[in-house]
Amino acid sequence: MRKMIALVGATVLALSGCSVKDDAPDGGGGARQITFLTFETPNLTPQYWDAAIKRVTDQHPDIAVKRIVSPTQDRTAYAKQLLQSGQFPDVLIAVSPAGFAEAGELYAWSDKELENFLFPGNGAVNGKIYQLPANTQTIPVTYYNKDLFASAGIGAPPTTYQELLDAAAKLKAKNITPLVTGGVHDSVGPLVAGIWATDVYAKNPEWMKQRRAGTVKFCDPDPRKALGKVADLAAKGYVDRTSVARDYAAAQQAFLDGKGAMYAMGNWLAGALDGADKPKFAVGQFTWPGDADNRTVPAFTGGGLLVSAKSKNIEAARKFALAFQLDKTNLDNSAVADGLFPAIKGYAPPAGVGPAYRAGYDLYAKALAAKTVVPAFNFEAGGDAPLPGVGAKIDASVVDLITGKKTMEQVCAFLDSEWAKG
Amino acid sequence: MAVDRAPRRVGARVGHFAGFAGPGLTVYAGFVLVPILISAGYSLTNYNPFNPPTRYVGLANYRLLFTDEAFLTSLRVTTILTVIVVVTPNVAGLAIAVLLDRRGWLYNALRSVFFVPMVLSSVVVSIVWTRLLDNEGPINQALRAVGVDRPPGWLSDPDYALYSLGAILSWQLLGFCVVVYLAGLQGIPVELLEAAEMDGAGPGRRFWHVSWPLLAPALTINTVVLMISAFKVFDHVQVITRGGPGEGTTATIAFVVLRTAFEENRGGIASAQAVVMLTIIAAASAVALKLLRRREVEL
Amino acid sequence: MKTRGPGRPLLAIFVAAIFFLPLYVALANVFKRGDLITKEPAALPIPPTLDNIVAVLTRPDRLYWVSLTNSVVVTGLSIVLLTVLSAMLGHYLARSRSRWVQAVTLLLLCGLMIPPQAILMPVVRVMEATGVMTTLQGLILFNVGYYIPFGVFVFTGFIRSVPVELEESAALDGANRFQIFWRIVFPLLRPATASVLIFLGVWIWNDFLNPLVILGPGQGTTVTTGIYRSIGQYQADFGSVFALMFLATLPVLVFFLALQKQFVKGLTGGASKG
């Protein structure tokens, strides 16, 4: 028995010497290695990321990139966990700098580095930019299934909130789920952003900044009414209560499978609508309507890369991040695959974008001209966003509103008290 | 018998300790005891890696916990879950053990069937059950097939989610209780049962008066193990519901501790929660153990 | 013993079948074509396919093989170290007449009920300070520290049943403590060693949270953490998820089925002794 243990022990000890790591490009030959935190979605496949990274490292062979993947879509939570366990990545993408920036974990981009961006001041925290304001996303665009609309006898997409409620009633009468959603931030957040945009931001685009200053509250009449609309939609059955169990991909799949008529989603859905697995039915787009009209378009410019201030290879990390962000092919691919509108000077979307992309772009351009673009609630970044902990509480509270567990009064009071905790 | 070797004895004792107990205790101290002390230490500060500097705040964190809705909810959630998990597999496990209390390859095989979930990782169990309890999953499909119009959202309805979680945990822990009760049953001297039968006692009375008292040690083990397992529940929550649906519906204490520490970055408060959690587990286990042991002795 | 009617076996099989249904569904979906999984989750996999398994085994990033190796290394080293250290510590506690034995035993018993989540954050700090964060060694050391109370618990009980006279006569023959322990006592502890190896092997193999946090993303995963990571990616591809789970569980399942008797013995040693 003892001999066997000794033998096993020796073998295992020998094996542990060659402990296996992920396949990583060899950091030998003077290449500086940096880690890059990414997340995967139906649009953003492993192949997409690997190809985008390769394009940059081909031009900069002195940089070796180790791509790490967030286990769930919540890459912000994962980044926090990595920070706590001392494994903060060198480069991140699409993570709000809130919290990280104040703690001194992020590198502040210089004006020179930001000269190519259309909105170099977006998402600033205490006046400094930590996340490259790389692309604009309209959140939400309300996509709708034209076939289902037709079968319910709805002629044109709604232009006021009352028309939306009427359309939903007609759909429900035909046993069609009016609004598709899920339970996670990226699924239900856009719906809330749409309502918030028409009911709060349209009247007061500075609301979030004022909330940070403490001069407004969630329980003020307008925000409360917005929360009430969410609860009301669920109470009327226009949003299916059970859909909160869905994760992001399941919710998207439900819409693409024709299980619901309307889907309030960020314009990145265009990537799926124009892609290889496009749905069999025709898809239209409209702007989420307010009580009076539908001109308000919520948008967010940001979404770019961030660099860790404490990176061991910070030069390489910065060089990689900028190159990754500005590479024309990467930008083109991000437009096609993920429906992004790059906010880079002199950039125009490539010819290869599909009809869904173009329709969304037109909606945005119209609003830009009419100056009716407002922030996208709970999708902002940096100092424009809710306090770091509160964002997640908003998502959970919205789910509570939909399931009916909490009323709008309880939710607004809860959010105000969470905000006060700081 | 031992020759008096006083001066060498001390050295030998130290050597004995260092050689045999030293390595194990060092690792234990370094990776369990020291972290507990560190946790206790953090709990007295406002430690937050996003908001240095760290200050001593005394018992402020603990006072905060008394009014912290999230923490109190987690206590309620954990208590409900513990009750479900301590009772259900215990009772069902006993029933199934009685059913399987026979010799033969069939019963041995069936016993293994019940025990397999214990060998599976919590992640696997969670993923399988999430698929099964999905609103469009096989269970609801079956319910619809037999005419149930609107089957419940097992995991999406906040009224059901916690109980669904309890059911999943019970399913996984059932095998443990079955095996322990079976061993207990098979340790009962046959003569006692035969004597009772000859006295005219039916199977029910035989069980209640002969078997059940002798199963006391098995009951103790099952109850204590189930209780401790229930307090620790985290993996299933993280994978199945992530504390939801909504705010705090299935957030157990362990889940809240980790979320506060790693996602909300409030290290001081998380440590206070952890200390409270440890105290509750220790106290509850001690009480349960004492009560059950006393019962064993009396019986 | 009693009536040998068909009632009992039939009832037993029926109950077991119902209990086993979830596992049947999981197993069936491993061999089912991807698109049929959501449509007919409970149906038999006809036609059966090995595509899902092949897809997992041939992934370009070798996820399964990498994490399998890591799991084997971590689990193997952990249980070997645990057996050795807890046997020796248990022997010390069972034999030593020092005053501190009671205190140390109590201290170790406390460790049995500590949930790993309660100490994870400070453990991370300790590991950073000692430089073993994100390494396999760090994870192994944590496993050893955390599970030693269990090992000690099992071994101490058994060692008490080994007559002290054996050791004393060996001492008279001139053997030193280590020789006495390894040559005479340890071979008699086979059932305890089996229990420790089996239970800790299964628990460490199935551990999900500790590798996730301690090893982190850069070090490759263990097989259980790998499953958790993959559910995010494979949203629409449940075939791969089930296949990965199946392949990840197979080693432990085989281990269990081969050593069933020892599992049961290890558990029930306490049930009758109390």
Side-chain angles (χ1 to χ4, degrees):
Chain A
M1 182 71 164
R2 180 185 174 201
K3 281 208 191 109
M4 203 175 68
I5 288 189
L7 187 62
V8 170
T11 320
V12 180
L13 268 166
L15 277 177
S16 80
C18 50
S19 69
V20 185
K21 306 184 187 207
D22 290 333
D23 263 325
D26 193 17
R32 267 106 31 97
Q33 177 155 100
I34 56 174
T35 49
F36 179 20
L37 176 63
T38 64
F39 62 102
E40 289 166 5
T41 71
N43 281 358
L44 304 170
T45 62
Q47 294 78 2
Y48 169 89
W49 290 113
D50 290 335
I53 293 175
K54 186 164 185 309
R55 226 163 275 125
V56 179
T57 52
D58 280 347
Q59 292 164 16
H60 298 270
D62 56 323
I63 304 179
V65 176
K66 176 130 176 37
R67 180 169 82 88
I68 53 184
V69 184
S70 163
T72 66
Q73 248 193 312
D74 194 352
R75 56 240 178 233
T76 310
Y78 192 57
K80 284 192 190 153
Q81 183 204 304
L82 291 178
L83 177 63
Q84 276 279 26
S85 52
Q87 302 164 42
F88 201 57
D90 298 311
V91 182
L92 313 88
I93 185 170
V95 169
S96 169
F100 300 103
E102 294 91 324
E105 297 292 337
L106 292 175
Y107 166 75
W109 297 100
S110 68
D111 291 335
K112 176 113 187 25
E113 284 162 325
L114 292 169
E115 62 185 0
N116 284 316
F117 294 90
L118 281 174
F119 301 100
N122 251 41
V125 178
N126 297 332
K128 296 223 184 76
I129 301 290
Y130 297 92
Q131 177 180 33
L132 293 174
N135 48 65
T136 303
Q137 297 175 311
T138 47
I139 310 173
V141 173
T142 311
Y143 298 90
Y144 68 97
N145 185 326
K146 285 188 177 168
D147 296 350
L148 290 179
F149 260 41
S151 73
I154 304 170
T159 56
T160 68
Y161 190 66
Q162 186 54 49
E163 284 179 24
L164 185 122
L165 289 178
D166 295 337
K170 286 193 191 148
L171 289 161
K172 189 145 188 305
K174 295 268 178 182
N175 267 332
I176 303 172
T177 309
L179 287 158
V180 176
T181 189
V184 298
H185 171 72
D186 284 338
S187 289
V188 74
L191 177 63
V192 178
I195 299 179
W196 203 269
T198 56
D199 285 29
V200 180
Y201 278 147
K203 297 187 199 159
N204 179 8
E206 304 292 310
W207 189 88
M208 189 55 75
K209 298 206 173 75
Q210 290 173 0
R211 187 64 189 86
R212 279 187 168 243
T215 53
V216 296
K217 292 233 173 354
F218 282 97
C219 285
D220 290 344
D222 286 333
R224 222 174 55 185
K225 179 161 162 259
L227 294 171
K229 274 190 180 176
V230 176
D232 181 56
L233 286 172
K236 290 195 164 75
Y238 297 158
V239 170
D240 185 2
R241 293 217 139 109
T242 62
S243 56
V244 297
R246 288 201 193 112
D247 59 26
Y248 177 76
Q252 176 170 311
Q253 199 55 42
F255 176 70
L256 296 178
D257 286 342
K259 296 220 178 99
M262 296 183 273
Y263 186 43
M265 180 44 52
N267 67 325
W268 57 77
L269 187 65
L273 294 175
D274 290 332
D277 294 318
K278 57 162 74 88
K280 297 188 182 56
F281 48 85
V283 176
Q285 302 177 19
F286 62 88
T287 322
W288 184 271
D291 297 325
D293 59 52
N294 64 343
R295 291 174 304 165
T296 323
V297 171
F300 160 69
T301 301
L305 276 67
L306 310 89
V307 169
S308 161
K310 305 191 177 150
S311 165
K312 291 199 182 77
N313 285 323
I314 194 167
E315 288 298 321
R318 277 173 27 205
K319 214 172 13 158
F320 171 77
L322 272 175
F324 185 93
Q325 199 73 83
L326 297 171
D327 178 275
K328 174 116 187 10
T329 318
N330 280 355
L331 291 172
D332 288 344
N333 285 353
S334 73
V336 172
D338 210 27
L340 304 176
F341 309 147
I344 314 284
K345 284 188 184 150
Y347 179 83
V353 291
Y357 183 96
R358 291 199 188 284
Y361 198 75
D362 287 339
L363 279 177
Y364 172 63
K366 256 201 297 215
L368 204 54
K371 294 203 187 354
T372 55
V373 176
V374 299
F377 178 66
N378 210 11
F379 282 90
E380 311 99 327
D384 304 329
L387 289 184
V390 180
K393 301 288 180 188
I394 295 178
D395 297 323
S397 300
V398 165
V399 172
D400 281 333
L401 282 173
I402 294 181
T403 59
K405 189 167 152 216
K406 282 192 186 167
T407 65
M408 65 177 170
E409 285 86 13
Q410 290 171 313
V411 164
C412 79
F414 175 69
L415 289 176
D416 279 327
S417 74
E418 286 296 311
W419 192 284
K421 285 191 193 157
Chain B
M1 190 86 130
V3 174
D4 185 42
R5 295 176 294 198
R8 269 189 69 195
R9 199 187 271 166
V10 173
R13 280 235 294 258
V14 171
H16 183 204
F17 178 82
F20 273 67
L25 283 179
T26 312
V27 183
Y28 180 67
F31 287 97
V32 177
L33 294 178
V34 166
I36 294 183
L37 291 175
I38 295 182
S39 217
Y42 276 155
S43 71
L44 300 174
T45 70
N46 68 343
Y47 175 60
N48 181 337
F50 273 4
N51 259 331
T54 310
R55 291 191 334 263
Y56 175 78
V57 293
L59 295 174
N61 289 336
Y62 291 96
R63 260 179 261 135
L64 215 71
L65 288 180
F66 278 111
T67 53
D68 183 15
E69 195 187 312
F71 186 66
L72 294 174
T73 310
S74 75
L75 286 177
R76 186 183 61 91
V77 165
T78 310
T79 308
I80 295 180
L81 209 58
T82 305
V83 169
I84 298 178
V85 169
V86 166
V87 169
T88 316
N90 232 332
V91 169
L94 182 60
I96 294 179
V98 167
L99 183 62
L100 295 185
D101 184 20
R102 285 283 180 278
R103 304 225 177 284
W105 65 269
L106 175 68
Y107 295 102
N108 282 347
L110 291 179
R111 183 189 60 198
S112 296
V113 165
F114 281 102
F115 197 74
V116 164
M118 284 290 300
V119 174
L120 300 177
S121 82
S122 49
V123 180
V124 170
V125 170
S126 301
I127 296 179
V128 170
W129 275 99
T130 309
R131 294 294 307 137
L132 285 176
L133 293 178
D134 187 70
N135 293 318
E136 314 292 323
I139 292 191
N140 277 3
Q141 283 181 8
L143 285 174
R144 285 202 192 97
V146 295
V148 177
D149 236 3
R150 313 192 69 223
W154 301 106
L155 295 174
S156 66
D157 190 332
D159 291 331
Y160 282 87
L162 186 55
Y163 299 98
S164 303
L165 187 61
I168 298 174
L169 290 165
S170 301
W171 178 83
Q172 190 173 12
L173 292 167
L174 181 64
F176 178 82
C177 294
V178 168
V179 167
V180 172
Y181 276 129
L182 258 181
L185 283 171
Q186 284 163 359
I188 297 176
V190 171
E191 306 82 49
L192 288 176
L193 288 166
E194 287 179 347
E197 198 186 353
M198 287 198 288
D199 284 347
R205 294 192 61 196
R206 279 203 302 273
F207 179 78
W208 186 246
H209 289 284
V210 180
S211 309
W212 179 237
L214 289 174
L215 283 176
L219 177 68
T220 306
I221 292 185
N222 279 338
T223 308
V224 174
V225 167
L226 287 174
M227 195 168 68
I228 296 183
S229 304
F231 275 126
K232 292 195 205 178
V233 168
F234 165 78
D235 293 0
H236 301 82
V237 176
Q238 172 70 9
V239 179
I240 302 180
T241 58
R242 236 160 289 118
E247 179 66 28
T249 317
T250 53
T252 58
I253 297 186
F255 181 80
V256 167
V257 168
L258 277 173
R259 192 179 61 187
T260 313
F262 285 98
E263 284 186 32
E264 296 178 16
N265 301 114
R266 288 144 77 192
I269 302 210
S271 303
Q273 291 170 339
V275 169
V276 171
M277 177 187 182
L278 285 175
T279 316
I280 295 181
I281 294 185
S285 307
V287 167
L289 207 54
K290 202 168 206 172
L291 288 176
L292 289 167
R293 283 266 185 228
R294 193 186 304 165
R295 179 175 171 273
E296 271 184 54
V297 170
E298 284 170 10
L299 289 173
Chain C
M1 200 194 282
K2 315 244 148 49
T3 47
R4 281 186 175 271
R8 183 180 288 255
L10 282 180
L11 182 61
I13 294 179
F14 178 69
V15 174
I18 298 201
F19 181 81
F20 191 71
L21 267 177
L23 294 180
Y24 154 73
V25 172
L27 207 53
N29 285 339
V30 172
F31 301 101
K32 206 183 279 183
R33 256 182 30 220
D35 49 326
L36 289 177
I37 292 183
T38 23
K39 284 207 214 110
E40 312 162 10
L44 281 171
I46 298 172
T49 167
L50 289 175
D51 286 347
N52 298 327
I53 296 186
V54 169
V56 168
L57 289 178
T58 55
R59 268 181 67 143
D61 62 356
R62 291 164 48 222
L63 172 74
Y64 176 67
W65 300 107
V66 168
S67 39
L68 186 67
T69 314
N70 284 341
S71 275
V72 168
V73 168
V74 169
T75 309
L77 264 179
S78 299
I79 59 180
V80 165
L81 276 173
L82 271 164
T83 307
V84 168
L85 289 181
S86 51
M88 296 210 296
L89 182 53
H91 181 261
Y92 177 83
L93 292 175
R95 296 291 188 233
S96 167
R97 285 180 291 266
S98 151
R99 279 166 294 155
W100 300 105
V101 168
Q102 279 250 8
V104 171
T105 312
L106 200 61
L107 217 54
L108 282 168
L109 235 52
C110 290
L112 276 176
M113 22 181 191
I114 296 177
Q117 303 90 17
I119 50 173
L120 196 54
M121 192 182 67
V123 163
V124 166
R125 297 277 163 272
V126 168
M127 289 204 184
E128 280 178 340
T130 51
V132 291
M133 192 60 194
T134 73
T135 61
L136 290 183
Q137 305 91 290
L139 181 60
I140 293 171
L141 280 173
F142 176 68
N143 284 334
V144 172
Y146 184 72
Y147 287 108
I148 250 193
F150 178 79
V152 167
F153 190 54
V154 173
F155 275 115
T156 318
F158 259 82
I159 287 176
R160 291 219 173 90
S161 66
V162 173
V164 167
E165 291 77 24
L166 281 178
E167 300 181 47
E168 288 179 349
S169 59
L172 284 178
D173 287 344
N176 69 29
R177 288 204 192 272
F178 283 99
Q179 289 169 321
I180 298 177
F181 179 72
W182 286 110
R183 292 235 183 93
I184 300 189
V185 180
F186 195 73
L188 296 174
L189 299 175
R190 201 163 302 189
T193 308
S195 293
V196 167
L197 285 175
I198 289 175
F199 278 102
L200 295 184
V202 170
W203 288 339
I204 294 178
W205 181 275
N206 285 339
D207 191 4
F208 144 69
L209 179 64
N210 297 319
L212 185 69
V213 174
I214 295 177
L215 283 185
Q219 184 64 15
T221 56
T222 61
V223 98
T224 308
T225 317
I227 298 176
Y228 176 64
R229 293 245 209 105
S230 75
I231 44 180
Q233 303 159 232
Y234 287 132
Q235 288 301 346
D237 184 8
F238 281 109
S240 287
V241 178
F242 280 107
L244 182 60
M245 290 200 302
F246 174 69
L247 288 170
T249 313
L250 212 48
V252 127
L253 210 53
V254 166
F255 187 59
F256 164 66
L257 290 172
L259 298 173
Q260 284 176 62
K261 279 220 188 72
Q262 270 78 345
F263 261 92
V264 175
K265 256 205 213 133
L267 263 188
T268 60
S272 34
K273 277 198 192 139

